[in-house]
Amino acid sequence: MNTRNDPKPSQLPRNACPACACEQAKVFALTSDIAHETSDETFEYLRCSRCSTIFINHPPVPEKMGRFYPEQYDQHVFSLDTESQGRLDRLAEKFHAKICCRYPFFKLRQNFFNRMSPDDLFLDYGCGAGEALNQARARGAQTVGVDFVDALLDELNKQGHRGLSATSDWASDVLALGGASKIRLNHSLEHVHDPRSLLKQIAATANPGCRLQLSVPNPQGLSATLFGRSWWGLEAPRHLVLVSAKQICSFLEEVGFKVTDVCTEPTGKDIARSFGLAGWRHSLLRDKNVARNLHRNGLALMLGLPLGMAAAMAGRGDRLHIYAERA
């Protein structure tokens, strides 16, 4: 069957893995920005033969990454349009959420916030619109958000949070406030060129006993394995380095954290999204918007959920969650 926009492998030399420096890697995917269509460029992703990290070969330089983030990028400004869904679709989403709440990842996340107190300084790197900052402040914690978008940071400062630019010396500012006792990196590590350096900066701001929550797309998850270049978690080219669980744990221990829990999420959403992209690429779905939003379809979500649950039980869920404590 013919596929849409079937690119050829790059002739450029292959970069070493940014996670473990191994020079042995195989082509994982050749893809473009299907999610937001900011560019028609083709990006080559490689999978490291040693640590299984997936990364862009010759990524865009940091100074040019801004053009790949649309103004309403949903990592930062996310609003759920329930009016466009039918009643059955909304019921399916509620059922999906109830099932997910029964799994360890949800309880770990809940405990992370429930243990917050007025004595805590909560640092959220890649804070977006500040939902987690609001949860922490509701529990009395002092809140600091770090992000790349100046307009978001201005809004956070107006709301009473401390908003710091990721391009500034934000780590020194956090230390000047007394250091962090709770830190969150929710789907932000994959957006940086050098994950190890970021985790070193994070560790430098952490007080002894500081608790860390880190979440990333799982490069060894079910959707990555089944769908390859149609895996939603690639989100080319914004996701630069998708680090494997083993390598993240190694990084954290290297900078002074002790990993306490590792789990994956039993979601059917990423399976449905990935299936939608694969269906569009193979001309099974004609409407790209339908393909990109297949996770909003109740039937697709319910069909993906059992697969997501089974994958999570096997440690192969599509979203990886790691908790650690500073020594």
Side-chain angles (χ1 to χ4, degrees):
M1 182 181 291
N2 292 330
T3 58
R4 303 175 195 256
N5 305 320
D6 199 7
K8 303 298 181 185
S10 167
Q11 298 303 310
L12 292 170
R14 293 183 184 176
N15 286 349
C17 174
C20 73
C22 176
E23 296 185 354
Q24 301 298 316
K26 296 180 179 179
V27 175
F28 175 78
L30 295 153
T31 188
S32 58
D33 182 8
I34 297 178
H36 294 286
E37 299 181 306
T38 59
S39 166
D40 59 2
E41 297 172 63
T42 295
F43 301 94
E44 181 179 61
Y45 280 83
L46 306 178
R47 185 191 281 280
C48 176
S49 299
R50 179 191 294 167
C51 74
S52 295
T53 290
I54 295 172
F55 59 96
I56 290 186
N57 192 28
H58 298 282
V61 296
E63 295 77 18
K64 294 186 177 180
M65 284 302 298
R67 68 190 180 97
F68 298 113
Y69 287 84
E71 185 176 347
Q72 296 299 318
Y73 180 56
D74 62 7
Q75 175 74 11
H76 296 105
V77 185
F78 180 77
S79 59
L80 192 62
D81 178 19
T82 55
E83 291 184 4
S84 65
Q85 290 180 298
R87 183 169 177 270
L88 290 178
D89 296 334
R90 292 195 296 271
L91 287 173
E93 275 207 352
K94 289 180 180 179
F95 179 76
H96 180 276
K98 281 190 175 183
I99 292 295
C100 291
C101 288
R102 298 177 182 273
Y103 276 70
F105 97 94
F106 180 81
K107 294 177 181 178
L108 287 167
R109 184 177 64 184
Q110 199 171 37
N111 288 339
F112 179 80
F113 281 99
N114 286 345
R115 291 176 182 174
M116 221 164 280
S117 73
D119 296 327
D120 286 321
L121 187 150
F122 174 65
L123 169 64
D124 190 4
Y125 187 95
C127 60
E131 181 182 352
L133 295 174
N134 291 333
Q135 290 182 49
R137 186 169 59 183
R139 290 164 172 79
Q142 186 179 359
T143 52
V144 179
V146 179
D147 211 290
F148 292 89
V149 184
D150 291 337
L152 284 172
L153 296 173
D154 290 341
E155 185 60 31
L156 291 176
N157 284 315
K158 289 177 184 177
Q159 294 174 14
H161 304 295
R162 182 72 178 269
L164 302 174
S165 173
T167 59
S168 70
D169 188 10
W170 58 269
S172 295
D173 290 336
V174 174
L175 287 172
L177 293 170
S181 53
K182 297 285 190 303
I183 300 176
R184 177 179 183 260
L185 289 94
N186 186 57
H187 293 279
S188 52
L189 192 70
E190 63 269 26
H191 290 264
V192 301
H193 287 74
D194 189 350
R196 174 180 278 164
S197 292
L198 174 58
L199 291 179
K200 284 182 180 178
Q201 284 184 291
I202 290 290
T205 69
N207 292 330
C210 174
R211 293 279 297 164
L212 170 76
Q213 177 200 353
L214 188 155
S215 301
V216 292
N218 185 5
Q220 296 173 295
L222 180 64
S223 290
T225 303
L226 289 180
F227 296 105
R229 73 186 184 115
S230 295
W231 173 38
W232 182 263
L234 278 182
E235 205 189 311
R238 288 164 293 278
H239 289 184
L240 298 164
V241 187
L242 296 133
V243 188
S244 63
K246 182 179 179 180
Q247 201 62 33
I248 291 175
C249 292
S250 176
F251 285 168
L252 290 173
E253 290 169 3
E254 181 183 303
V255 298
F257 280 95
K258 178 183 177 183
V259 175
T260 57
D261 294 284
V262 179
C263 64
T264 59
E265 187 174 334
T267 180
K269 290 185 176 182
D270 291 357
I271 295 171
R273 284 167 161 163
S274 301
F275 181 80
L277 293 185
W280 177 79
R281 278 192 157 124
H282 290 276
S283 301
L284 299 175
L285 293 172
R286 297 190 179 188
D287 189 326
K288 189 186 290 187
N289 286 326
V290 170
R292 285 186 293 207
N293 291 283
L294 201 61
H295 65 293
R296 308 296 308 285
N297 178 282
L299 177 59
L301 189 61
M302 288 298 97
L303 289 174
L305 181 57
L307 290 173
M309 292 166 62
M313 291 175 68
R316 298 291 181 180
D318 288 327
R319 302 177 192 180
L320 180 64
H321 303 277
I322 299 174
Y323 290 81
E325 185 172 326
R326 189 75 158 94

